[in-house]
Amino acid sequence: MKAHIVTLPGDGVGPEVTAAAVAVLHAVAEHFGHEFTFEEHAIGGCAIDAHGEPLPKASLEACKKADAVLLGAVGGPKWSDPNAPVRPEQGLLALRAALGVYANLRPLQVHPALARLSPLKEEKLKHVDVLFVRELTGGAYFGAKTRTADTATDECKYTVAEIERVTRRAFDLARQRRRHVTSVDKANVLETSRLWRSTVQRIAAEYPDVKLEHQLVDSMAMLLLTQPGRYDVVVTENLFGDILTDEAAALAGSLGLLPSASLGDGFNGLYEPIHGSAPDIAGQNVANPTGAILSVALLLRHSLELEEEANAVEAAIDEVLRDGPHTRDIGGTAGTAEVQAAVLTALEEHASNSAAFFSGARACG
Ligand code: NAD
Ligand code: IPM
Ligand code: MN
């Protein structure tokens, strides 16, 4: 198949992990006989420096036309002055809103070879397989903001329609998994959470085959550490989802491991690792590219409907996490480029075992 992919490497380690992810896409195209074209654009701090704004019009227009968008990370100390008139993160938020990608899928699995790195006891990590569905285009991130000399406000607003669509997405995904949804809110305090809870409850009636439970976010933060194996799909609002998924990454062993897919109603999606620009390690070739490469697997699955290719990428990552090489964050000494090379080798092997493997001879008859 032909697909046009826009890449937005961004700031800090963004370009390093995006380069690894793009190399994997090139290899998938070669092994499976696809034609992927790439177009790189600016976002974040580097876009502020070069164009005066974090999401230049040309970047946004290209993303809207693409089949999928692959992003590295934005932000960093250079642009983090609290009084700065414009911030890199505004570019990412504007992009999510403009693409209408309201459902942010963040899968968490714990690789057995890395369980020893987690702060939790290994036996707690058996059977951990959670899919977070984070609402991505509403809530406090997008409400009105005010600021005076001694007061600041961030409005947190949700509409029924916003809650309904992300809830349906979560229940649809649960039907492909273990049919269990946990909805996380703060309904004992927040009005938005009370609307969230009653809306989720009503939509759940359309899915009698899926079990629903509600959990308050503070106790959820604790339960994620004490009983991570009991969760299947976790659906929650924007800010709670941001926080809980970084916590979840600690179970996996590193923030550098988790991918994400941000989806709307069409096929075009935004794919990015859940970590940030990691300024403390940027430019040193030590960033873990796993989250970015697993985001490529999600891109293949959700935007291009190439399930076999997605599985091959995941199998390659699985093998490298098992056998190494490993970057520093997961206890190794390898660089980003070395891990990338190992993934490409493993991918070639898994691709050739796959039914969709592209054979020039076969294609030429
Ligand atoms: P961060 O995720 O950048 O880093 C937190 C810690 O995790 C650091 O110690 C870092 O070295 C480590 N880490 C992150 N990614 C890693 C990787 N791939 N391999 C190895 N270690 C990794 O979070 P932060 O320091 O709170 O934020 C830094 C900047 O990134 C901020 O400006 C923030 O707004 C931005 N940010 C951007 C995104 C995004 O673009 N999607 C996401 C989160 C944070
Ligand atoms: C993430 C990030 C972003 C968020 C920031 C950079 C705006 O932390 O993707 O998790 O909070 O959504
Ligand atoms: Mn985050």
Side-chain angles (χ1 to χ4, degrees):
M1 79 173 299
K2 288 187 180 183
H4 188 61
I5 297 160
V6 166
T7 62
L8 304 169
D11 307 316
V13 297
E16 298 168 60
V17 298
T18 304
V22 169
V24 168
L25 276 168
H26 277 295
V28 166
E30 185 191 330
H31 299 324
F32 292 89
H34 302 302
E35 199 181 314
F36 298 156
T37 48
F38 296 90
E39 189 181 333
E40 183 176 309
H41 282 274
I43 192 167
C46 61
I48 295 175
D49 290 351
H51 308 282
E53 48 184 349
L55 182 64
K57 201 160 177 268
S59 302
L60 177 59
E61 289 311 311
C63 290
K64 282 185 180 164
K65 287 193 209 120
D67 294 307
V69 180
L70 182 66
L71 184 136
V74 298
K78 181 176 177 192
W79 307 281
S80 290
D81 177 346
N83 295 314
V86 61
R87 291 190 59 110
E89 291 81 357
Q90 289 167 339
L92 179 56
L93 299 184
L95 178 63
R96 289 170 177 171
L99 293 179
V101 288
Y102 57 81
N104 180 226
L105 280 45
R106 297 186 162 191
L108 164 72
Q109 282 161 350
V110 182
H111 196 287
L114 303 184
R116 71 194 152 75
L117 296 174
S118 166
L120 292 195
K121 293 191 183 75
E122 278 193 54
E123 70 255 26
K124 285 223 186 281
L125 296 168
K126 285 195 188 117
H127 318 297
V128 171
D129 181 5
V130 187
L131 177 62
F132 290 89
V133 181
R134 168 189 176 194
E135 199 292 326
L136 200 62
T137 53
Y141 279 66
F142 292 92
K145 294 175 188 303
T146 68
R147 176 83 176 262
T148 64
D150 62 357
T151 311
T153 66
D154 294 279
E155 182 190 38
C156 180
K157 180 175 152 193
Y158 268 109
T159 66
V160 166
E162 284 171 330
I163 302 167
E164 280 179 349
R165 62 187 182 178
V166 73
T167 301
R168 285 206 173 89
R169 183 62 68 102
F171 275 83
D172 287 341
L173 289 161
R175 276 190 167 155
Q176 299 164 26
R177 296 171 49 97
R178 303 193 303 280
R179 295 175 187 259
H180 180 196
V181 171
T182 305
S183 171
V184 176
D185 61 37
K186 187 72 186 170
N188 53 345
V189 175
L190 301 177
E191 204 55 52
T192 42
S193 278
R194 287 190 273 274
L195 182 68
W196 181 278
R197 191 175 281 217
S198 56
T199 305
V200 170
Q201 190 74 44
R202 179 167 48 75
I203 298 299
E206 298 169 14
Y207 298 82
D209 53 318
V210 179
K211 184 176 168 242
L212 169 68
E213 65 176 341
H214 300 282
Q215 193 67 48
L216 295 171
V217 65
D218 46 356
S219 53
M220 183 66 190
M222 179 274 296
L223 288 164
L224 206 49
L225 301 181
T226 53
Q227 301 179 44
R230 72 185 289 273
Y231 297 103
D232 177 17
V233 173
V234 174
V235 63
T236 190
E237 64 134 275
N238 205 342
L239 183 59
F240 299 160
D242 179 45
I243 297 166
L244 291 177
T245 52
D246 268 31
E247 182 188 352
L251 304 184
S254 167
L255 193 49
L257 294 168
L258 266 59
S260 83
S262 303
L263 308 174
D265 288 327
F267 276 101
N268 188 4
L270 171 64
Y271 299 86
E272 44 174 329
I274 81 158
H275 64 74
S277 59
D280 52 333
I281 58 165
Q284 299 172 34
N285 182 40
V286 296
N288 192 333
T290 302
I293 294 173
L294 287 174
S295 300
V296 161
L298 297 179
L299 182 158
L300 293 165
R301 178 172 295 129
H302 293 286
S303 278
L304 309 186
E305 293 188 290
L306 297 174
E307 183 65 24
E308 215 163 337
E309 289 80 343
N311 291 339
V313 171
E314 285 168 351
I317 284 287
D318 194 62
E319 191 176 314
V320 173
L321 291 181
R322 189 188 65 207
D323 300 336
H326 289 161
T327 43
R328 205 162 69 187
D329 56 313
I330 52 172
T333 54
T336 311
E338 202 183 322
V339 173
Q340 171 189 319
V343 173
L344 293 181
T345 305
L347 179 62
E348 190 169 358
E349 199 181 298
H350 285 284
S352 62
N353 293 333
S354 146
F357 180 60
F358 178 70
S359 139
R362 189 181 60 196
C364 298

